[in-house]
Amino acid sequence: MSYEKVDVPEEGEKITVADDGEELHVPDNPIIPIIYGDGIGQDVGPAAQTVLEAAAEATGREINWMRLYAGESARERYDENLPDDTVEAIKEFRVAIKGPLTTPVGAGFRSLNVALRKKLDLYTNMRPTFHLDGVPSPVKNPEAMDMVNFRENTEDVYAGIEWEAGSDGVEEVREFIEEEMGFDSTIHDGPVGIGIKPITEFGTKRLVRKAIDYALENDRDSVTLVHKGNIMKFTEGAFRDWGYEVAEEEYGEEVITEDTLWEERDGDAPEDAVVVNDRIADNMLQQLLTRTEQYDVLAMPNLNGDYLSDAAGAQIGGLGIAPGANIGDGRMLAEPVHGSAPKYAGQDKVNPSALILSGRIMLEYLGWTDAADLVRDALEETISAGEVTYDIERQIDGGEKLATSEFAERVAERIRQNA
Ligand code: NAP
């Protein structure tokens, strides 16, 4: 395929996928698309490249970067927010990484992040949440947290099916709800905004499969379905029921539900089995704090996942270090949780750890676990040594405040030493 708005590097090979649409064939010199993104993207993008290149080289591989444009950089070059070539190149090259993209509040264009996830059908948002030694946290035992959150990325109240108060659409929907569906005194009189919350069997099951597969592949003990099914019975309740169906019908002995575990085995789980249970979302938010160590992999509809993964992220040190990835079938786009923090743009100041750790998820997805481990260890050693960016330095005593690029160099140097 040829692109007008992408320079494909001459060196390097393409990652391909097997006929099952899932299993990746990863060469030792893959071409990897990168979008720096807006605001601090110009600072953290190159810093993450420095570290990821060092990890690849230390394990006998080579990353060939392919710059792609979205957001402000695309507007400057091509006068559009999200060129089709950017989307098509990620589709073709399969595994990519991006920095943050600014979304205007209220008016203006819709989120480019959401557009990318939709166009690429990246239906899972995955956020590993673990504590790195040396990172300040608001809780007493941040090391108790070692969770991986799987958030559904395409439906729920985020589907975008909503009508503004005063619009013709909203009055039509109100009439339909009241007169056709019989909910006649449910909505208060006067202006109303209405949104629809679709949760499908298809969307739920493919998300829950991703969470269970991950738990099995990574020796995790449990997958918890987090829902509000006691109130929203036919959406969140259905999420729970369909989630259990996947667990009961699609896996053998290696996956067991908590009910079966107690009813049939007196709590004695088969060795290496993954236990699937469920928790109501508000209780789960409490248990994140009070019983942190009991949870492992969480699978959630979109809104619960949004709230819960930020709350979990705060417990291990916040936005500067919280990584994520959007995953579909045989395709992934790694991205940090934080936004474009425009006030710090171009100052070589902010913490690149979140993008570096997002890159680490990408390395794991490529099957380069040795390189991924080098990244985590070197990052942890650097932060523990007090060599940190402003956000951490202001919370610890005696730290050395480093620029974004200096911090990345220190991490890369440790990778080379440790390899
Ligand atoms: P933000 O950009 O994440 O920044 C909020 C604050 O978090 C910053 O002022 C800074 O705190 C801290 N922070 C964020 N990233 C940091 C880093 N790498 N190192 C150190 N500290 C960091 O959130 P926002 O201001 O609400 O959003 C700005 C724009 O980003 C919006 O347009 C939003 O839509 C967009 N956004 C994009 C994505 C994405 O692309 N996936 C995600 C979220 C938001 P201090 O000021 O305390 O130092």
Side-chain angles (χ1 to χ4, degrees), residues 40 44 98-104 113 117 319-320 335-344 350-352 354 390-391 394:
I40 54 170
V44 295
K98 72 175 270 293
L101 292 167
T102 298
T103 308
N113 301 302
R117 289 170 205 159
L319 283 181
E335 66 172 332
V337 172
H338 65 69
S340 53
K343 67 180 176 183
Y344 295 130
V350 294
N351 193 344
Y390 84 96
D391 53 318
R394 70 187 170 189

Side-chain angles (χ1 to χ4, degrees), residues 373-388:
D373 289 348
L374 280 173
V375 170
R376 179 180 166 152
D377 291 349
L379 196 67
E380 194 158 37
E381 283 169 26
T382 308
I383 295 172
S384 301
E387 299 167 28
V388 291

Side-chain angles (χ1 to χ4, degrees), residues 64-349:
N64 295 277
W65 298 107
M66 177 165 74
R67 278 286 298 280
L68 299 180
Y69 299 92
E72 199 182 325
S73 63
R75 281 194 295 282
E76 276 167 9
R77 288 181 153 240
Y78 307 119
D79 202 21
E80 56 184 322
N81 285 317
L82 184 58
D84 285 344
D85 276 3
T86 294
V87 178
E88 288 308 314
I90 299 175
K91 268 191 195 153
E92 184 181 347
F93 289 84
R94 296 201 166 268
V95 178
I97 182 164
K98 72 175 270 293
L101 292 167
T102 298
T103 308
V105 178
F109 57 85
R110 280 181 178 267
S111 165
L112 301 178
N113 301 302
V114 174
L116 267 171
R117 289 170 205 159
K118 272 197 182 153
K119 286 181 184 209
L120 296 164
D121 198 23
L122 301 170
Y123 56 85
T124 306
N125 182 262
M126 176 212 188
R127 291 192 193 170
T129 313
F130 53 85
H131 183 248
L132 288 176
D133 240 11
V135 175
S137 151
V139 299
K140 281 189 198 142
N141 298 311
E143 62 286 349
M145 170 91 61
D146 183 10
M147 268 176 215
V148 186
N149 297 319
F150 284 80
R151 165 187 172 193
E152 205 288 326
N153 234 353
T154 63
E155 48 184 30
D156 199 350
V157 283
Y158 288 66
I161 313 173
E162 54 178 12
W163 295 270
E164 194 176 0
S167 64
D168 292 344
V170 86
E171 289 312 322
E172 259 180 63
V173 176
R174 185 209 293 257
E175 201 178 300
F176 175 75
I177 292 170
E178 290 178 344
E179 286 171 22
E180 304 272 329
M181 304 307 289
F183 292 95
D184 52 358
S185 47
T186 312
I187 304 174
H188 296 303
D189 288 342
V192 58
I194 296 181
I196 301 272
K197 178 183 175 75
I199 300 248
T200 62
E201 178 178 355
F202 172 76
T204 300
K205 287 191 165 177
R206 67 178 181 170
L207 181 270
V208 173
R209 269 180 219 120
K210 275 265 184 289
I212 294 179
D213 289 345
Y214 177 90
L216 287 168
E217 281 160 23
N218 293 278
D219 295 328
R220 296 286 185 152
D221 294 331
S222 67
V223 172
T224 302
L225 308 167
V226 183
H227 60 89
K228 192 73 188 154
N230 52 335
I231 306 295
M232 292 170 270
K233 295 185 192 304
F234 305 131
T235 50
E236 303 251 337
F239 177 89
R240 170 188 177 276
D241 295 345
W242 287 321
Y244 275 128
E245 267 178 38
V246 171
E248 283 164 354
E249 294 170 8
E250 299 185 17
Y251 297 85
E253 289 236 314
E254 52 189 359
V255 175
I256 186 166
T257 66
E258 196 168 64
D259 280 353
T260 311
L261 178 66
W262 286 99
E263 281 161 16
E264 294 177 14
R265 300 182 58 102
D266 209 17
D268 179 25
E271 206 176 340
D272 298 332
V274 169
V275 177
V276 176
N277 54 24
D278 74 280
R279 296 290 180 269
I280 290 178
D282 38 341
N283 179 28
M284 187 65 228
L285 276 160
Q286 173 184 223
Q287 303 224 348
L288 265 189
L289 282 163
T290 55
R291 294 175 178 259
T292 318
E293 64 290 338
Q294 287 184 13
Y295 294 93
D296 213 344
V297 175
L298 307 185
M300 297 164 277
N302 211 332
L303 182 63
N304 298 341
D306 196 359
Y307 293 157
L308 204 133
S309 39
D310 270 25
Q315 279 178 237
I316 49 100
L319 283 181
I321 56 153
N326 300 293
I327 304 176
D329 292 329
R331 196 164 278 134
M332 84 105 70
L333 178 61
E335 66 172 332
V337 172
H338 65 69
S340 53
K343 67 180 176 183
Y344 295 130
Q347 294 180 25
D348 197 16
K349 172 173 175 145

